[in-house]
Amino acid sequence: MDFRYLGNSGLKISEITYGNWLTHGSQVENDVATQCVRAALDAGITSFDTADVYANTAAETVLGDALAGERRESVEIFTKVYWPTGPGGPNDTGLSRKHVMESINGSLKRLKTDYVDLYQAHRYDTETPLEETMVAFADIVRQGKALYIGVSEWTADQIRAGHALAKELRIPFVSSQPQYSMLWRVIEGEVVPTCQELGISQIVWSPIAQGVLTGKYLPGQAPPAGSRATDEKGGATFIKRLMTDEILERVQNLRPVADELGLTLAQLAVAWVLQNDNVAAALVGASRPEQVTENVKAAGVKIPAELMKRIDEILGDVPVTDPGMTARSAPAGRVA
């Protein structure tokens, strides 16, 4: 496993970071989830990402149980706050001081730890003053409940404004967690250059494009039984826009590139996002331990420039590159 610094900080994280978004506490049994976490640890992964909203707090509990007994200083635990949790009361969502302060306490209890290494604003809250949110984060850092702060799916302008307040408050704002893959490149135009300027790294989610870049979905054929594209609990919704014959055919055309590097298509996809110097880590999840073992083989892979160019030629105009998609994909108001 290779390790990279997170932003301008002195914190190193594993460039393959384990995430438990769509699986833990919902789609797979807890014992299997624990096996996946153990497989991640065995593979050298030290960084684990979750959020209070995943499975309505259950994912944090599963991760906390799975990491029990590990030396706390040897792992990095990340979680997030914003989306609705609990019974859905008027203050059970957003980035108000009330919700942020109550949420960190709940997350620490479920994760069975005194602190998280990284606490992230899961979206931008248009209905709470940014200063209120950043002061709450500053208090959490000063209380020792979080060591660093970050954001997820913020625009370049929002990141710049948040960073300015963080600098004024003297707290370490070090990360951005956006969606990023060969097929979804919207951060390249504005978010990445802004973050490079400010000393902020990307921890990217969905580097395999919800499974599309594994090559298991074939053009003109029904999705395999049990795959994410058939999961009506949530997975099918996220993957639907990618399930066109044109996209699936172009993904199949990437196989010779993967073969030349001795990689699977999934490993190629993870290695591709790690070629971006501003990316500190790629988030990978798993529903089976062997998936973790396979994904970590992307760590340390260097893709030659000529193959990076060939990938672009194969995918053509299929990837989404419009930087405005970050704002358009965000909730217009606080989600209740």
Side-chain angles (χ1 to χ4, degrees):
M1 181 57 59
D2 287 357
F3 297 84
R4 300 185 181 191
Y5 286 106
L6 190 55
N8 278 349
S9 77
L11 177 68
K12 281 188 172 182
I13 64 174
S14 53
E15 67 176 14
I16 306 292
T17 291
Y18 188 84
N20 69 346
W21 170 31
L22 281 177
T23 52
H24 294 193
S26 56
Q27 294 181 358
V28 300
E29 296 299 324
N30 289 2
D31 60 336
V32 176
T34 298
Q35 291 169 25
C36 290
V37 171
R38 303 312 304 178
L41 290 164
D42 291 343
I45 291 174
T46 63
S47 306
F48 296 84
D49 180 84
T50 187
D52 57 3
V53 71
Y54 298 163
N56 196 16
T57 73
E60 286 184 325
T61 300
V62 171
L63 182 60
D65 289 343
L67 290 175
E70 288 298 308
R71 179 176 179 268
R72 178 62 185 88
E73 295 83 357
S74 297
V75 295
E76 303 84 44
I77 300 174
F78 315 152
T79 194
K80 314 181 199 72
V81 58
Y82 170 82
W83 295 103
T85 54
N91 289 304
D92 286 344
T93 186
L95 297 178
S96 68
R97 180 177 180 84
K98 177 177 173 61
H99 186 56
V100 169
M101 301 303 283
E102 291 172 350
S103 293
I104 186 64
N105 291 333
S107 290
L108 295 179
K109 185 180 298 184
R110 290 184 290 271
L111 289 165
K112 296 181 171 61
T113 182
D114 295 329
Y115 69 95
V116 291
D117 296 272
L118 179 66
Y119 199 42
Q120 304 158 95
H122 210 162
R123 289 297 185 274
Y124 187 87
D125 186 349
T126 59
E127 298 179 20
T128 297
L130 180 58
E131 184 174 5
E132 177 180 338
T133 298
M134 298 307 290
V135 168
F137 276 139
D139 288 344
I140 286 169
V141 170
R142 294 192 177 102
Q143 291 167 8
K145 294 178 179 179
L147 304 185
Y148 301 88
I149 64 166
V151 299
S152 177
E153 295 293 353
W154 283 27
T155 66
D157 287 345
Q158 291 164 351
I159 289 170
R160 188 175 294 279
H163 182 270
L165 281 169
K167 188 174 182 180
E168 183 180 322
L169 293 162
R170 300 183 66 81
I171 54 172
F173 179 177
V174 297
S175 69
S176 162
Q177 188 176 129
Q179 181 180 180
Y180 185 50
S181 71
M182 290 181 190
L183 299 176
W184 187 262
R185 307 185 188 182
V186 303
I187 62 171
E188 292 179 344
E190 296 178 1
V191 168
V192 166
T194 297
C195 289
Q196 287 174 324
E197 174 193 341
L198 299 177
I200 294 170
S201 292
Q202 312 301 317
I203 302 171
V204 303
W205 60 273
S206 199
I208 309 175
Q210 287 92 51
V212 169
L213 288 170
T214 65
K216 66 184 175 183
Y217 301 110
L218 301 175
Q221 296 187 25
S227 65
R228 182 170 294 180
T230 64
D231 176 22
E232 297 305 324
K233 294 180 181 178
T237 301
F238 289 103
I239 202 173
K240 185 177 181 180
R241 64 177 176 78
L242 300 172
M243 297 294 289
T244 69
D245 283 350
E246 181 182 13
I247 291 176
L248 298 182
E249 184 174 345
R250 288 179 186 261
V251 170
Q252 294 302 316
N253 291 339
L254 291 171
R255 286 192 183 278
V257 178
D259 291 343
E260 190 168 336
L261 290 165
L263 302 174
T264 66
L265 280 174
Q267 291 161 359
L268 176 67
V270 175
W272 184 90
V273 300
L274 291 173
Q275 305 309 297
N276 189 317
D277 290 340
N278 192 231
V279 172
L283 286 172
V284 299
S287 56
R288 302 187 307 277
E290 55 268 27
Q291 291 175 326
V292 181
T293 306
E294 285 301 305
N295 283 332
V296 296
K297 293 177 182 176
V301 171
K302 303 300 180 187
I303 303 176
E306 61 269 21
L307 292 186
M308 291 291 285
K309 182 179 179 182
R310 195 189 307 174
I311 289 169
D312 286 343
E313 291 170 349
I314 291 169
L315 294 176
D317 61 359
V318 160
V320 179
T321 59
D322 178 6
M325 288 302 297
T326 299
R328 289 199 288 277
S329 300
R334 185 185 296 172
V335 178

